[in-house]
Amino acid sequence: MAVDITNYNVPFRAPALPYPPQVYDQTSFEEFNKVLRIYFNQLDNALRNDTNALRAEATTWFMS
């Protein structure tokens, strides 16, 4: 049985990044980092959950 790997089932999209200020501003830089941190945390969690689901399917198939 072939596994469809084209459906990624990711419930979020890449964020719209804030525009950079004309002059360096620490709070703007922190806001930019915060947006990226949230996005990469969501991406990391989605990949980990998907990998665990594939392992569970493989284990179930092997045991049956």
Side-chain angles (χ1 to χ4, degrees):
M1 180 171 122
V3 177
D4 180 17
I5 60 171
T6 58
N7 183 8
Y8 299 111
N9 195 22
V10 177
F12 58 89
R13 301 190 92 137
L17 298 176
Y19 290 107
Q22 293 291 334
V23 180
Y24 174 80
D25 179 15
Q26 184 176 356
T27 57
S28 297
F29 192 72
E30 288 172 357
E31 183 68 26
F32 181 77
N33 281 340
K34 181 175 139 185
V35 170
L36 288 179
R37 187 178 311 111
I38 291 170
Y39 173 67
F40 283 117
N41 282 339
Q42 290 175 333
L43 186 61
D44 189 42
N45 289 335
L47 290 173
R48 289 177 193 275
N49 291 340
D50 189 49
T51 301
N52 288 339
L54 290 175
R55 285 183 186 160
E57 289 175 12
T59 302
T60 302
W61 175 82
F62 182 74
M63 295 298 227
S64 61

